[in-house]
Amino acid sequence: MRIAVVIACVLLALFPGSPAAAHPMSTTAILLDTGPSRVTGLVELPIDRLEVALDEPLTATTVVQPAKLAELRRYVLAHTSAGTWAVDLTGGRVAKVDNVDHLVFDLTLTGNTQDLQLTYDGILHKIVSHQVFVAARPAGHGDYTTIGILDWRTHTVTVPTARPASTGSGFLAAVRLGVRHIGQGADHLLFLIMLLLPAPLLARRGRWVRGGDLRRQGLRVVHVVSAFAVGHSITLALAALGYLSVPTRPVEAAIALSVLVSAVHAVRPLVPGGETWIAAGFGLLHGFAFAALINDLGLTRGSLVTNLLGFNLGIELTQLIVVALVMPSLLVLSRTRAYPGIRLGLAGTGIMLAGAWFAERTTLIPANPLNGPADQLVEHPFVIAALLAGAAGALVAVPRLRTEPLPH
């Protein structure tokens, strides 16, 4: 138990707080109508994320007050550039996007006939987990095609003005979106890792014990990852295609609850051998959150199918990378006497983070003090993987700490 407490404290101490969100409940969208010398469009900013970025209270009523609207327009302009193209921002109104209030500005870009380089870092400069969708269509005709996703690392995207964006580029952008969404979504990553923690173990009499050969452990990992993939794929497709509709905020609260349940399960088995069912059941919830990101683009059925396929592929690729980075270390650590303490420490960290997310998303607390550590952990995934690998190598090298699995 001492090891568990030390791990939880070290993880939270290593990554201090910052004003960021573990998983974006709302995103910015830039929707463009392109032409050879003139590009028009909309900038849709979620008011709740804008409030965090500016560190001041904002509501749907206050943002449209003349003085505040002018100030926010200047803010967006200061964080938007397009090389030699002139940038103009006008208007300012509140609109609902997936039941979340967004401040919408009209954007106009004028310049030469070459593809323009659009740079934007509004909100991104403060919230590392925020994402900005950039989609375009030629002169207001046809479907929007995703041409880029901006995040805390990438602030520039090429906007094709002399030709329409191709379906292929939209597909690749959707793949990148899936990769980034999982890679930067602390709650999705933590949910998966919490389910992997007990994978090398067996549930006996309400407790986790060492046991199981490598083949059985590998099959359990495959079952968990596959079940989560099937679950989120079903609701992602149904919700994105318009057959199901669930408000974003309850879904986000439920996702936090799923992380909490999986973390508690890593401490003591809630459903012996039930990681697959937990992954499948809560995967259905995560699919609604994935669909909300796709729906933010307002795509029509044709481009939506392409984006769904690419987005889902990106999610699965990232999950496989996470498993490849984490699972070997967990398998090695499970063969040491230190693993119970390590497992409890990691699960305890998960419980704290998930509990804080749930409290914030259900408005039990106004702001989550643990958002910063969660985002910093996501920002340094290879450091975390390296620490796990280092711990595994060091502990298994000590003969008295090595142990053999119990018979099964």
Side-chain angles (χ1 to χ4, degrees), residues 202-209 268-270 272-273:
L202 294 175
R204 289 184 177 174
R205 298 178 182 177
R207 299 176 63 87
W208 291 115
V209 298
R268 187 175 293 270
L270 300 176

Side-chain angles (χ1 to χ4, degrees), residues 174-401:
V175 173
R176 291 193 295 270
L177 171 60
V179 170
R180 289 175 181 171
H181 184 61
I182 289 292
Q184 297 174 4
D187 45 9
H188 295 309
L189 282 174
L190 195 59
F191 175 73
L192 181 60
I193 291 172
M194 291 300 106
L195 289 179
L196 294 178
L197 280 178
L201 308 174
L202 294 175
R204 289 184 177 174
R205 298 178 182 177
R207 299 176 63 87
W208 291 115
V209 298
R210 292 184 296 273
D213 56 28
L214 187 61
R215 178 178 176 275
R216 174 177 291 186
Q217 293 168 347
L219 285 176
R220 290 180 70 185
V221 173
V222 170
H223 290 162
V224 167
V225 175
S226 299
F228 182 63
V230 170
H232 76 66
S233 296
I234 291 173
T235 46
L236 169 59
L238 291 175
L241 292 171
Y243 295 111
L244 293 175
S245 178
V246 178
T248 300
R249 291 188 182 277
V251 169
E252 294 293 346
I255 286 174
L257 182 62
S258 75
V259 180
L260 183 60
V261 170
S262 63
V264 172
H265 181 71
V267 174
R268 187 175 293 270
L270 300 176
V271 182
E275 297 83 17
T276 300
W277 293 107
I278 294 175
F282 283 122
L284 296 172
L285 285 172
H286 288 243
F288 283 114
F290 298 153
L293 295 180
I294 296 292
N295 288 337
D296 276 348
L297 291 177
L299 302 171
T300 58
R301 186 65 60 95
S303 59
L304 180 56
V305 172
T306 300
N307 279 270
L308 274 175
L309 292 174
F311 185 66
N312 220 33
L313 177 60
I315 290 174
E316 306 314 330
L317 288 174
T318 310
Q319 287 183 170
L320 292 176
I321 292 173
V322 171
V323 172
L325 287 174
V326 172
M327 204 59 219
S329 297
L330 295 183
L331 289 173
V332 172
L333 287 169
S334 70
R335 297 298 195 248
T336 71
R337 300 183 188 279
Y339 191 59
I342 293 172
R343 173 174 54 85
L344 290 175
L346 293 173
T349 301
I351 289 172
M352 285 188 289
L353 293 174
W357 289 333
F358 183 77
E360 179 188 34
R361 296 174 186 184
T362 55
T363 67
L364 294 176
I365 58 176
N368 182 0
L370 299 183
N371 270 335
D375 282 330
Q376 293 299 319
L377 289 171
V378 171
E379 188 177 342
H380 303 285
F382 294 106
V383 173
I384 303 302
L387 288 174
L388 270 179
L395 292 173
V396 80
V398 181
R400 66 185 181 87
L401 290 180

